Amino acid sequence: MEILNYAFMQRALLAAVLVGITAPAVGIYLVQRRQALMGDGIGHVAMTGVGLGFLLTWSPVWMATLVSVLGAVFMELVRWYARTRGDIALAMLFYGGMAGGVMFINLAPGGSTTNLSSFLFGSLSTVSESDVTAICLLAAFVVLVTVGLRRQLFAVSQDEEFARVTGLPVRFLNLLTAITAAVTVSVAMRVVGLLLVSALMVVPVAAAQQLTRSFAATFAIAVAIGVSATLGGTVTSYYQDVPPGATIVLLTIATFIALTLLATPLTRRRARALAAAQPGGDPAECAIPAGRKGRDEVGA
Amino acid sequence: MTEPVIALRGVRAELGSRPVLRGIDLTVHRGEVVALLGANGSGKSTAVRSVIGQVPAAAGEIELFGTPQRRFRDWARVGYVPQRTTAAGGVPATVTEVVSSGRLARTRFGVFRKADREAVRGALELVGLADRAKDAVDALSGGQHQRVLIARALAAGPELLIMDEPMAGVDLVSQEVLAETLRHQVSEGATVLLVLHELGPLEPLIDRAIVLRDGCVLHDGPPPKALGQHALPGHDHVHPHAPAGAEPIRTGLLS
């Protein structure tokens, strides 16, 4: 494995594994609460953070984390207080975030929009030592929250109203979900890029759902798909000189399509087994008396 | 009489700027089964949602187990069945996973012990879904979804059950199972407040009915008996002692 001899590839592969774990781990809760596009919105906001990082010559990863966490908290507040006009407020936040990023990076000394592109689409070879430290710390936080609080987050994402009546701190858990999603965006930014982060949060979960009946299994399979895709994409981009972010996302979508095709006969067989198991038999299809059917066909 | 489990005094609530509750008094004592009836838009769901703090009260007092609702924290004593047509979310989940959510109130930091798993299993047996425990909730019928939601509320072993239209869209078999589950809970000493569109198969269980109309309490007493002409759908309730020329009261109960 000559690929492992290069320090930059070691860093890239480590970052890829961490992204493969964290993005679906957060994404599953977003999909469950039907906010699949939230990651995309946070990605846009994070651009302002990257721009500010360049302008102030601070680490773009930490700056993106800070700004996207603020953006995510703002989005949660909008969800509480401005239910009716919420979508307009969010649209302004997203596009403001994108415009802010472009503006700040052009104001930065020697900065131009080309600096931004490695953040927009991911660039493994530029993952630095300090980036890896940041990614490791942030990923540890994400795993701690999404695994440690899985029962609470499941309850809140499944039925917010019910969760409140069981005494769960619903507002805190919603904020925590938003913050964790924002942190994940910063983790994944270097590998898949801000514009493709959301795909890695959502598509592995959607792909896993084709096979599973339980939340726990969906979680495990989504993470497995995420890690396979990020590792596969990273290795492919090393040998074939293709952009890693795009390769990873296309791999997850290919997995989704493959599993969907595979799952169709599987669900059919499962439904048949279920019908057979039911006492008295539950016919899967309406039985039309043969004579009647013939007559109808003649009439038509 | 003992202290009331639920007490509402002069509660007003608004949705948007439209008044939905215009000062209602409502008391449920320990061991009682109280039905909240009324036409669509009469405020019955809002009344229940104000009890559990989902709708803020603009005025009046709400107490749960003698504690002002704002300071009430002992939510494991309350089992809530929201008005839903499905128990499913955006990701597949098994019946056990959904019902386990209801047990969280009894755990520390969401760590499940043997007793918690047994309680979830017990709740599923009560609603007759133990054999479906590992199935995805998506695979269930409408009535079975409602049974899952009720098992979720029962998983914490609550003293008070609050149900919002548990019979809506439920097939006959599930209605019977729900009535039996409720009968069992009542025999164990549970207090029940439930929103109903019609009394239906639960009628023999109900001690008292509170009928709302336009956000006010219209009737508080024994459940209205539907007899003779009254049993016919869509009849108008005319009170002989109402002032002459008063509009007949349409409770909408039987429509």
Side-chain angles (χ1 to χ4, degrees):
Chain A
M1 288 294 265
E2 55 142 319
I3 187 172
L4 288 174
N5 293 339
Y6 299 101
F8 83 92
M9 272 319 283
Q10 291 169 2
R11 289 197 295 270
L13 287 169
L14 178 61
V17 170
L18 293 177
V19 171
I21 295 170
T22 53
V26 175
I28 193 167
Y29 298 108
L30 300 183
V31 173
Q32 195 188 7
R33 54 173 66 206
R34 304 181 200 281
Q35 293 178 347
L37 290 175
M38 183 160 175
D40 198 45
I42 298 173
H44 284 65
V45 176
M47 284 172 67
T48 291
V50 173
L52 271 178
F54 272 97
L55 186 63
L56 304 171
T57 59
W58 285 355
S59 154
V61 173
W62 286 114
M63 209 58 204
T65 310
L66 183 70
V67 172
S68 54
V69 164
L70 289 177
V73 168
F74 181 78
M75 276 187 245
E76 257 320 293
L77 294 177
V78 166
R79 221 163 63 82
W80 291 341
Y81 293 113
R83 276 166 196 274
T84 44
R85 306 307 299 160
D87 56 333
I88 304 283
L90 292 183
M92 287 201 279
L93 184 70
F94 294 176
Y95 305 124
M98 197 152 60
V102 174
M103 184 58 84
F104 286 133
I105 208 155
N106 278 292
L107 288 178
S112 74
T113 335
T114 43
N115 299 64
L116 207 53
S117 91
S118 79
F119 291 91
L120 289 183
F121 302 107
S123 163
L124 286 167
S125 55
T126 56
V127 178
S128 69
E129 201 80 47
S130 66
D131 284 344
V132 169
T133 314
I135 289 173
C136 285
L137 288 173
L138 294 172
F141 167 78
V142 173
V143 170
L144 213 65
V145 170
T146 54
V147 177
L149 294 176
R150 63 187 181 285
R151 286 186 186 280
Q152 288 88 338
L153 294 179
F154 172 86
V156 170
S157 307
Q158 188 82 7
D159 191 337
E160 200 173 300
E161 187 182 352
F162 177 80
R164 204 165 286 147
V165 184
T166 57
L168 283 175
V170 170
R171 287 190 169 190
F172 168 76
L173 290 168
N174 280 340
L175 265 183
L176 194 64
T177 310
I179 290 171
T180 312
V183 169
T184 309
V185 166
S186 312
V187 171
M189 168 174 84
R190 288 313 241 148
V191 179
V192 284
L194 290 173
L195 293 183
L196 294 173
V197 163
S198 193
L200 204 51
M201 289 184 173
V202 174
V203 183
V205 178
Q209 285 189 21
Q210 305 300 317
L211 299 179
T212 56
R213 280 178 295 176
S214 74
F215 185 84
T218 311
F219 192 107
I221 295 178
V223 168
I225 294 172
V227 172
S228 317
T230 49
L231 274 182
T234 307
V235 173
T236 310
S237 77
Y238 172 80
Y239 287 112
Q240 299 296 325
D241 195 26
V242 285
T247 315
I248 290 167
V249 171
L250 289 175
L251 272 176
T252 59
I253 291 176
T255 312
F256 172 81
I257 294 171
L259 290 182
T260 307
L261 294 177
L262 190 82
T264 314
L266 204 76
T267 38
R268 238 183 249 149
R269 194 182 315 158
R270 199 177 278 157
R272 233 178 291 139
L274 202 70
Q278 248 160 37
D282 194 10
E285 284 168 32
C286 295
I288 301 168
R292 170 90 184 281
K293 191 177 170 189
R295 225 184 19 238
D296 283 357
E297 271 165 11
V298 171
Chain B
M1 221 179 249
T2 54
E3 74 171 12
V5 174
I6 300 175
L8 268 65
R9 281 182 291 273
V11 170
R12 295 171 175 278
E14 295 169 355
L15 292 180
S17 56
R18 188 173 60 92
V20 182
L21 300 178
R22 303 163 193 265
I24 65 165
D25 297 323
L26 185 163
T27 313
V28 180
H29 294 278
R30 190 168 293 279
E32 262 191 315
V33 181
V34 176
L36 205 50
L37 303 163
N40 290 334
S42 58
K44 53 193 196 307
S45 268
T46 308
V48 159
R49 287 160 59 85
S50 75
V51 171
I52 54 159
Q54 286 290 303
V55 173
E61 291 167 45
I62 302 175
E63 283 181 8
L64 281 167
F65 296 98
T67 308
Q69 188 235 53
R70 279 177 192 288
R71 284 195 277 122
F72 185 77
R73 293 290 174 270
D74 209 358
W75 289 108
R77 298 171 79 180
V78 182
Y80 174 55
V81 181
Q83 192 178 355
R84 293 272 184 284
T85 52
T86 171
V91 172
T94 62
V95 170
T96 301
E97 284 175 329
V98 173
V99 173
S100 295
S101 291
R103 188 66 193 177
L104 277 176
R106 294 272 182 207
T107 64
R108 282 179 70 85
F109 308 114
V111 178
F112 270 52
R113 297 175 192 286
K114 195 161 168 259
D116 298 313
R117 279 188 281 274
E118 276 166 9
V120 169
R121 175 113 199 130
L124 279 173
E125 271 162 16
L126 279 176
V127 299
L129 284 178
D131 56 327
R132 307 297 301 267
K134 287 194 161 64
D135 284 344
V137 282
D138 310 16
L140 303 180
S141 71
Q144 288 169 331
H145 273 271
Q146 205 63 44
R147 281 147 75 180
V148 169
L149 295 176
I150 290 169
R152 182 176 70 172
L154 295 177
E159 298 161 50
L160 166 65
L161 263 178
I162 298 177
M163 309 169 129
D164 197 347
E165 302 240 16
M167 294 303 209
V170 172
D171 55 280
L172 225 59
V173 177
S174 288
Q175 285 200 5
E176 291 300 325
V177 174
L178 293 186
E180 185 49 46
T181 308
L182 213 57
R183 196 170 300 126
H184 179 260
Q185 290 300 308
V186 172
S187 69
E188 304 258 291
T191 309
V192 183
L193 173 64
L194 70 172
V195 171
L196 287 177
H197 205 70
E198 51 187 17
L199 292 172
L202 296 180
E203 202 197 328
L205 285 169
I206 289 160
D207 300 316
R208 191 151 58 87
I210 296 171
V211 181
L212 295 187
R213 181 177 172 243
D214 288 338
C216 300
V217 174
L218 185 71
H219 166 97
D220 186 346
K225 283 270 180 285
L227 288 171
Q229 197 198 347
H230 290 245
L232 296 173
H235 86 283
D236 291 334
H237 212 105
V238 184
H239 279 256
H241 47 79
E247 250 201 59
I249 295 164
R250 292 184 175 86
T251 60
L253 282 183
L254 298 162
S255 55

